[in-house]
Amino acid sequence: MQTSPRRVVVTGIGALTPLGLSPESYWQSLISGVSGAAPITYFDTSAFATKFACQLKGYDALDHFDRKEARKLDPFAQYALVAADQAIEDSGLKPESMSQEQRDRVAVIVGSGIGGMQVFHEQTAAYIRSGPRRMSPFFIPKLIPDIVSGHISIKYKFRGPNYCVVSACATGNNNIGDSFMMLQRGLADVALCGGSEAAVSELGIGGFNALRALSTRNDDPARASRPFDLSRDGFVLGEGAGMLVIEELEHARARGASIYAEVIGLGMSADANHITAPDPEGYGAALAMRNLLLDARLKPEDVDYLNMHGTSTPLGDTAETKAVKQVFGQHAYAMNLSSTKSMTGHLLGAAGATEAIATILAIRHSLVPPTINFEQPDPECDLNYTFNKAQPRAVNVALSNAFGFGGHNTSVAFRRMDS
């Protein structure tokens, strides 16, 4: 067992998002300010208050799985497996060439905020219509959120620690954070981590409409997600997956891996306030960021960019802004912030992972992606949110926030590595 924390780096990324089905296409859309929101095509929306979402575009399961295999996987699991393939390939790992001992040291920690919502809907309807004898034997294996980490380990024969963290919209960050801590302690050498979600469905839209959480700007979907704008009226539901390969620094160097950035800290907290509403003063979010700065041994002025949770809800954006001011003081006005949810929508359990990728790429390219759709200033949201246009900036240290229903708060820090 290690007596001091080991350094951890990112060596591979994979992303399926409403802006593109690869990290490259995702990034190009982000920096171009493209909106992924459009009318829903998966089902008839005539009875729903919200009729649009950020769906994956151009995704076909049969491009990645044979028909029999695809039927055994809920879309959230399909998305995760495809993004995992991308991240592993990008990392340069060769699972087929790894020894048994090496495979035993690869962790897979991947989560979903909701899991198999589509199969839940289908099988509930089958039960109501025809009773239990018509239910699929794949119902439970397709439903449970942890099945993704199991599928990945089976495919690649990775036998290290294997599980998922479920913390609503903080899920992606929590899975990255657990993996980071595991590698720091020497419990594994490599980890595949992230999150996946496929909740653009009748139950997903209907449930969030019942909460009055979604935007109903049906006449202009592309401009509906508008974090920090005075006229924001709720978030836009998205879907997809984000995966990272992270590994111990010397392990990465020994195999000549290309390094995107170093993972340097994790902060977590609870709001202890309400099941869905954030602490109105942002105390819990501020605590998570303070804990992160302590863990990463950072001063507030060390941070160049913060990818905010920024969901485009009236309460959430204001509370997060207050939290940033509490933690960073005057430096809050000197750094760049943005919400990429203005373009991707809210990917729930995949949000933390896809936004971590955006944060890492901002470091790599010295370019901050924008918050699009800004029109009307909100007096309570007065920071530099990088409105409407990407901004060149040297980004040496960047943070990514993700908060979830239940009051779960997470923040992860990354740092540039030049050698």
Side-chain angles (χ1 to χ4, degrees):
M1 194 68 64
Q2 298 294 309
T3 57
S4 60
R6 306 191 304 172
R7 293 175 69 184
V8 178
V9 294
V10 180
T11 57
I13 55 176
L16 262 67
T17 78
L19 303 184
L21 303 182
S22 69
E24 295 79 11
S25 58
Y26 169 46
W27 176 248
Q28 288 304 314
S29 293
L30 281 179
I31 61 174
S32 300
V34 174
S35 171
I40 293 168
T41 61
Y42 293 163
F43 57 91
D44 179 5
T45 61
S46 57
F48 293 84
T50 296
K51 306 177 188 302
F52 60 94
C54 289
Q55 298 178 182
L56 296 189
K57 298 165 185 67
Y59 175 80
D60 186 339
L62 299 183
D63 290 339
H64 307 281
F65 309 95
D66 63 42
R67 198 172 299 276
K68 183 177 180 181
E69 188 179 16
R71 284 200 300 268
K72 296 179 181 179
L73 298 167
D74 187 88
F76 93 97
Q78 294 178 17
Y79 302 164
L81 282 162
V82 174
D85 289 347
Q86 292 177 357
I88 290 169
E89 181 177 1
D90 185 47
S91 73
L93 288 171
K94 304 292 183 186
E96 68 279 3
S97 302
M98 296 171 73
S99 67
Q100 171 79 44
E101 183 180 17
Q102 289 171 324
R103 292 171 192 261
D104 291 349
R105 299 282 297 171
V106 180
V108 181
I109 305 177
V110 177
S112 176
I114 298 177
M117 181 166 277
Q118 181 171 308
V119 72
F120 181 82
H121 183 189
E122 292 170 351
Q123 290 302 298
T124 301
Y127 173 80
I128 293 170
R129 183 173 59 250
S130 305
R133 293 185 179 181
R134 299 300 298 172
M135 295 181 71
S136 168
F138 297 108
F139 173 36
I140 299 301
K142 288 175 70 174
L143 172 73
I144 51 180
D146 65 295
I147 202 67
V148 167
S149 55
H151 278 302
I152 294 169
S153 69
I154 291 167
K155 179 173 182 177
Y156 291 106
K157 305 303 179 188
F158 293 150
R159 296 183 177 89
N162 187 283
Y163 62 95
C164 80
V165 181
V166 177
S167 52
C169 305
T171 291
N173 264 12
N174 272 129
N175 284 272
I176 295 169
D178 268 34
S179 300
F180 167 58
M181 292 188 290
M182 188 166 292
L183 268 59
Q184 279 188 314
R185 292 190 60 200
L187 301 178
D189 296 322
V190 180
L192 181 71
C193 52
S196 184
E197 206 77 83
V200 181
S201 66
E202 293 97 323
L203 290 180
I205 296 294
F208 284 115
N209 269 161
L211 277 174
R212 298 184 180 180
L214 296 180
S215 171
T216 55
R217 201 181 291 265
N218 295 305
D219 59 336
D220 195 4
R223 300 182 65 79
S225 185
R226 46 181 58 222
F228 316 111
D229 186 279
L230 185 63
S231 65
R232 63 191 183 275
D233 70 328
F235 72 82
V236 177
L237 190 59
E239 61 176 354
M243 296 290 169
L244 283 68
V245 172
I246 65 174
E247 56 189 294
E248 189 270 326
L249 174 60
E250 295 310 319
H251 184 279
R253 284 175 169 166
R255 67 181 188 86
S258 176
I259 294 172
Y260 281 95
E262 183 176 5
V263 190
I264 58 172
L266 168 69
M268 298 181 285
S269 73
D271 272 355
N273 175 67
H274 189 272
I275 58 171
T276 57
D279 180 325
E281 297 305 313
Y283 181 82
L287 180 59
M289 287 185 279
R290 286 195 182 100
N291 289 339
L292 168 65
L293 295 179
L294 287 171
D295 186 52
R297 299 181 181 180
L298 293 171
K299 300 186 294 293
E301 57 267 28
D302 292 331
V303 179
D304 301 301
Y305 169 53
L306 171 58
N307 187 300
M308 297 182 73
H309 187 60
T311 57
S312 189
T313 58
L315 293 178
D317 293 359
T318 301
E320 188 176 9
T321 296
K322 290 179 179 178
V324 170
K325 292 178 182 178
Q326 290 172 44
V327 174
F328 292 94
Q330 281 302 306
H331 185 65
Y333 294 88
M335 60 186 185
N336 277 75
L337 309 96
S338 68
S339 171
T340 47
K341 287 185 182 73
S342 61
M343 295 171 277
T344 64
H346 194 347
L347 275 61
L348 308 181
T354 55
E355 290 163 18
I357 290 169
T359 305
I360 291 162
L361 292 176
I363 292 172
R364 165 163 280 204
H365 297 289
S366 298
L367 186 61
V368 175
T371 304
I372 68 167
N373 295 330
F374 172 71
E375 293 178 337
Q376 301 181 57
D378 181 343
E380 293 192 88
C381 298
D382 60 347
L383 302 176
N384 176 14
Y385 305 103
T386 319
F387 282 133
N388 295 329
K389 187 176 180 180
Q391 182 175 326
R393 173 172 182 153
V395 181
N396 294 306
V397 174
L399 275 55
S400 181
N401 285 347
F403 312 140
F405 281 179
H408 315 300
N409 303 304
T410 60
S411 191
V412 179
F414 302 93
R415 179 166 55 203
R416 178 185 298 276
M417 284 196 69
D418 294 321
S419 60

